[in-house]
Amino acid sequence: MSTFAKYMAVAEAWWVAFNRLTHGTNWYRMAFIFLPAIIRGEIFSSMSLYLPFIFGWLLRRSTKQCGAIFESTDDVYVNLKISRAEYISWVWKSILELVYMLLFLGVCHYMKAETRILVNFFIASFVCPMIRAAFPQPQRGPIWKGKPLWDETLGELLVHVFIVSGLALSWGFQGMDQLFLGLLFLQAIPAVQERFWFKPTQHGYLVLVIVTLCMPFFSVGITSRFFPSYLDYFPKPFLRVLCMLANVTPRVKDYYQVLGLSRDADMKMIRRVFRQLSLELHPDKVGDDPIALARFNEVREASDALTKQRAAYDKAIENQELNEMAPRCEAFMIMMYFWILHALIDWVQIEDAIIAMKKQLRQYILQDRKLDTKSFGIEPEADARAVLKKYCEVGEDVELPSLPPRQFTTGSREDIDRMRQLLTGVGQKIEPFIEVKGMVDKVSQEFVLATASQFKELGGISSTDGYYNRWIFEIEGKDVLTGEVKKGSSKVQRYNGTDHVVTLETDLGWEPEPGKAKFTITKESGMDWVKGVIGYHVYPHRNQVLMLGEGLEDGRFQWKLRDQKNFYAGYKIEFRNGEDFVGWQRVHEYFPVDKKVILKGPMALSSSVQPEAGKTSYKMFPDQIIPQNCATPKRVDEEDERP
């Protein structure tokens, strides 16, 4: 190893140790915050402005340590029992982190720094993360238009409820104050932004809308802070509207009204009225009457304001809205500054992440790995791979969809559309998007036939394909969903003798218990029959086997059902009854002979509405760039035949 390489290895080891000592602090972020003040030489004079960032860093350290107790899980996310020694160590380390925070607050108090804003950072950097860590259970909302209304952890939902409730309560009781602004700029707006970070266009519009809505308050705040002489230029109707939006009522008492005078009363009139009222309300005359004493104090207060400080009072009462909104708008400006600063830093990091994800997808394509090339409109697959590799070989900065981390293994329909646009832009001819719409012909069910020991004397089950077609299938057993004993019957539409699987013409409306529910198959003539129990099947659920009608013609798409087996495997299929969304699932297997699709699992229903033959429509389309979990599992019989 060369001398230079040794120095580099030592430097890297020191850097790793330094990051471990500082809990992985983002020094890039810290430099972005503090470097401008250092350059201006204002690092100490502007310390109050930067205290929240130091406090936020301490809070993140404390949150990481205090939340470690909730992360004691194994590879399958099962909570582990920790030893007493580990628990005591965690307690002491957590206490130490909290002591650091208290020492910091003590220094702030000694420096007489402005610390009211730190409450907002405490909520954003400690309270909300601890709620998320304490309640990691997944929670999924009802399906609407093919997607769950929410798919978050319980902690995330509780944080959202906390934020909305905090905004409503703080606005209702105190108006636009520090607590409201902290929840708005440090919690609510960033939570909305998180959903748009990987959608640059929509995120740009979102930021533009937020800045536009904030500009009236921001303009008053920045004028009050840096150009106070221009405050009088704001029209009163504008300030009244801001007071109404901020739920603020001017609090300057009308002393002219207290004395029963008009605002143009001269000093002689004010003194005369004061003497008259003070004689009437003097304690020597009214005694211990609390109402009269309060009125006496109010009159004296009004007289002092109108005789000793009348010019200042007249100016204050003339600009009540401005005096009320100016300090609130300054706080608004400061909190908006914190939001913009954090947003800029996050934007830089997100851009770096997007570039990294595009490079990752480029490498994935160049490595000739699995892609749903049919969705790009290029067939056969070999040609599609050649086109994609040629496109990516142009250079590392070639434009590609950026697949967010949570979706990197799949992508989305929007990513497919983006890829198609890019290929079209370089002159590649592509076929229309694959999207088939039509009606569901039949909603069926499949069962594996097995011969129970008590029925052996009745004969075996045929292994000839189609042998039981059109026979009557009757079954009796316990419904696995309700526990009730039920009966049902239907005609056999198709029989797979190799796997001993019967496909019924209609859905039974319940799910029999495998291994226990008894069946009887009888020939229509009644002259032949066989009995047994249903075996274990990989597709046991209701609404999992459907027969599709022909696709409806639509020139924008590839609308005809294909003849290749499993052509639509992995594609998304949605079901509707008219305009009402029924549910969705992914196609697991596709059989072109009878246009049968088998879904990956039970249909994700949006309500109790069930799909109905002849009434329910379907829409089938790809929505994964990198297809996942499309392998067809072997049936029980195939597993049993292994040597």
Side-chain angles (χ1 to χ4, degrees):
M1 181 183 292
S2 66
T3 304
F4 177 76
K6 290 181 180 179
Y7 283 131
M8 290 298 295
V10 172
E12 185 176 352
W14 275 98
W15 180 250
V16 171
F18 180 71
N19 276 328
R20 188 185 304 114
L21 182 65
T22 57
H23 292 252
T25 300
N26 190 329
W27 294 102
Y28 172 73
R29 178 184 291 265
M30 299 297 285
F32 199 108
I33 295 169
F34 290 102
L35 192 58
I38 295 174
I39 294 173
R40 296 194 308 267
E42 299 176 355
I43 187 65
F44 294 106
S45 61
S46 303
M47 202 62 188
S48 294
L49 190 61
Y50 297 103
L51 287 179
F53 296 103
I54 303 174
F55 188 56
W57 174 67
L58 289 172
L59 286 170
R60 284 192 293 275
R61 284 175 50 112
S62 301
T63 302
K64 184 177 180 180
Q65 175 58 40
C66 296
I69 194 70
F70 301 110
E71 298 176 2
S72 299
T73 58
D74 59 15
D75 292 338
V76 293
Y77 303 104
V78 176
N79 289 331
L80 298 177
K81 186 176 181 180
I82 62 175
S83 66
R84 179 178 177 82
E86 290 176 322
Y87 179 76
I88 293 175
S89 174
W90 170 79
V91 169
W92 281 111
K93 288 180 179 179
S94 300
I95 291 175
L96 183 62
E97 293 295 338
L98 295 176
V99 168
Y100 290 154
M101 279 200 298
L102 293 175
L103 288 174
F104 172 79
L105 294 175
V107 171
C108 291
H109 179 72
Y110 176 77
M111 295 172 58
K112 298 182 180 179
E114 175 60 55
T115 57
R116 288 183 301 170
I117 197 173
L118 299 185
V119 175
N120 301 317
F121 281 81
F122 178 74
I123 293 173
S125 300
F126 187 81
V127 175
C128 291
M130 289 304 298
I131 293 175
R132 292 186 180 100
F135 301 96
Q137 302 87 344
Q139 295 288 324
R140 197 175 193 185
I143 303 296
W144 186 65
K145 291 187 177 180
K147 295 181 180 180
L149 289 178
W150 62 81
D151 191 3
E152 309 281 357
T153 64
L154 177 58
E156 193 68 36
L157 292 177
L158 291 175
V159 167
H160 290 165
V161 172
F162 174 76
I163 294 171
V164 174
S165 302
L167 285 171
L169 291 173
S170 60
W171 184 86
F173 285 99
Q174 295 181 339
M176 192 181 71
D177 63 347
Q178 291 277 3
L179 180 60
F180 175 85
L181 294 174
L183 289 170
L184 179 66
F185 284 110
L186 299 181
Q187 289 292 309
I189 293 178
V192 176
Q193 278 185 284
E194 283 181 4
R195 303 180 181 276
F196 294 92
W197 272 121
F198 293 97
K199 301 176 181 178
T201 303
Q202 294 92 321
H203 184 257
Y205 286 129
L206 174 66
V207 172
L208 182 62
V209 169
I210 293 172
V211 171
T212 302
L213 294 175
C214 293
M215 195 51 65
F217 297 99
F218 183 80
S219 61
V220 175
I222 201 168
T223 304
S224 175
R225 181 89 172 190
F226 301 105
F227 313 102
S229 60
Y230 290 92
L231 283 173
D232 292 334
Y233 287 94
F234 287 103
K236 285 190 175 181
F238 172 76
L239 295 172
R240 289 194 191 101
V241 172
L242 293 189
C243 285
M244 181 182 66
L245 295 175
N247 193 29
V248 172
T249 303
R251 291 174 291 184
V252 179
K253 188 180 292 185
D254 191 345
Y255 289 131
Y256 289 103
Q257 185 179 8
V258 171
L259 297 178
L261 298 170
S262 63
R263 295 191 180 183
D264 58 356
D266 57 18
M267 195 63 66
K268 185 177 179 180
M269 176 65 73
I270 292 173
R271 289 194 177 97
R272 185 169 63 80
V273 171
F274 169 68
R275 284 195 297 271
Q276 179 182 348
L277 292 175
S278 61
L279 288 173
E280 294 177 2
L281 300 170
H282 197 277
D284 293 341
K285 186 174 182 180
V286 299
D288 296 332
D289 185 353
I291 297 177
L293 290 175
R295 172 68 173 154
F296 174 77
N297 292 329
E298 188 179 30
V299 168
R300 186 168 58 182
E301 180 183 340
S303 175
D304 291 341
L306 296 180
T307 56
K308 299 178 182 179
Q309 302 173 348
R310 186 172 184 181
Y313 175 76
D314 285 346
K315 184 176 180 181
I317 199 170
E318 184 69 21
N319 299 293
Q320 295 185 68
E321 293 83 1
L322 181 60
N323 292 334
E324 190 64 43
M325 288 305 301
R328 294 177 184 267
C329 288
E330 280 194 40
F332 188 99
M333 178 198 67
I334 293 172
M335 294 307 303
M336 189 174 176
Y337 160 77
F338 287 137
W339 166 65
I340 292 174
L341 185 59
H342 280 290
L344 287 173
I345 297 170
D346 291 338
W347 176 74
V348 172
Q349 293 178 332
I350 292 295
E351 284 298 309
D352 291 342
I354 288 175
I355 293 172
M357 287 184 286
K358 289 181 178 180
K359 289 182 178 179
Q360 191 173 0
L361 180 59
R362 177 177 176 271
Q363 289 298 319
Y364 188 94
I365 294 173
L366 292 176
Q367 292 169 3
D368 211 23
R369 298 173 69 181
K370 182 67 176 176
L371 290 167
D372 184 8
T373 55
K374 298 177 300 201
S375 65
F376 300 149
I378 306 175
E379 294 188 61
E381 185 176 353
D383 292 349
R385 288 181 179 275
V387 169
L388 290 170
K389 290 180 73 174
K390 182 179 179 181
Y391 176 79
C392 291
E393 286 170 353
V394 173
E396 290 190 0
D397 58 347
V398 65
E399 185 63 28
L400 286 169
S402 58
L403 310 186
R406 73 176 71 179
Q407 295 177 325
F408 182 72
T409 53
T410 59
S412 65
R413 179 165 179 173
E414 290 78 12
D415 297 318
I416 294 175
D417 291 338
R418 177 60 177 157
M419 193 72 237
R420 290 169 62 88
Q421 291 173 4
L422 294 172
L423 292 174
T424 304
V426 295
Q428 177 63 41
K429 184 179 180 181
I430 61 176
E431 298 295 327
F433 187 73
I434 301 171
E435 183 174 292
V436 185
K437 298 178 182 178
M439 300 298 294
V440 175
D441 276 356
K442 293 181 180 179
V443 181
S444 186
Q445 238 173 323
E446 285 192 349
F447 297 104
V448 173
L449 306 184
T451 303
S453 58
Q454 61 266 39
F455 297 125
K456 281 184 177 179
E457 67 276 7
L458 301 176
I461 295 174
S462 173
S463 297
T464 304
D465 286 347
Y467 186 85
Y468 298 120
N469 289 1
R470 309 299 300 170
W471 286 36
I472 306 299
F473 179 86
E474 298 175 316
I475 190 168
E476 180 178 1
K478 185 182 292 186
D479 184 350
V480 296
L481 299 178
T482 65
E484 301 176 4
V485 176
K486 296 181 179 180
K487 293 182 180 181
S489 65
S490 177
K491 278 190 177 182
V492 177
Q493 180 192 24
R494 185 187 179 107
Y495 176 64
N496 181 346
T498 303
D499 300 327
H500 296 172
V501 174
V502 292
T503 302
L504 305 184
E505 286 192 350
T506 58
D507 177 20
L508 294 177
W510 56 287
E511 294 182 19
E513 184 178 9
K516 294 184 179 181
K518 300 176 182 178
F519 72 85
T520 302
I521 302 183
T522 309
K523 202 169 185 178
E524 286 185 300
S525 62
M527 300 299 294
D528 198 3
W529 49 270
V530 66
K531 293 184 177 182
V533 296
I534 62 169
Y536 292 88
H537 191 17
V538 292
Y539 317 122
H541 304 286
R542 291 186 62 194
N543 308 325
Q544 197 171 358
V545 182
L546 303 102
M547 311 298 173
L548 305 181
E550 287 289 353
L552 301 177
E553 184 173 355
D554 191 333
R556 299 171 299 168
F557 305 111
Q558 296 186 46
W559 55 271
K560 288 185 178 180
L561 286 170
R562 296 297 190 95
D563 294 332
Q564 298 99 310
K565 182 179 178 181
N566 290 333
F567 180 87
Y568 301 106
Y571 282 22
K572 186 175 183 179
I573 185 167
E574 298 177 346
F575 301 93
R576 294 179 181 275
N577 286 347
E579 295 296 325
D580 298 329
F581 185 77
V582 175
W584 73 279
Q585 189 49 271
R586 296 201 179 277
V587 176
H588 193 59
E589 289 187 275
Y590 170 68
F591 300 91
V593 176
D594 44 11
K595 301 180 180 62
K596 178 173 74 174
V597 292
I598 298 177
L599 308 183
K600 283 184 176 292
M603 191 183 299
L605 299 173
S606 62
S607 63
S608 59
V609 178
Q610 299 288 333
E612 299 179 37
K615 181 180 178 181
T616 299
S617 63
Y618 71 88
K619 181 172 74 172
M620 188 163 52
F621 57 91
D623 69 336
Q624 297 179 327
I625 283 184
I626 303 175
Q628 296 292 308
N629 302 324
C630 295
T632 303
K634 292 184 177 181
R635 300 173 186 268
V636 176
D637 307 72
E638 292 177 294
E639 296 289 341
D640 292 340
E641 289 174 5
R642 289 181 300 179

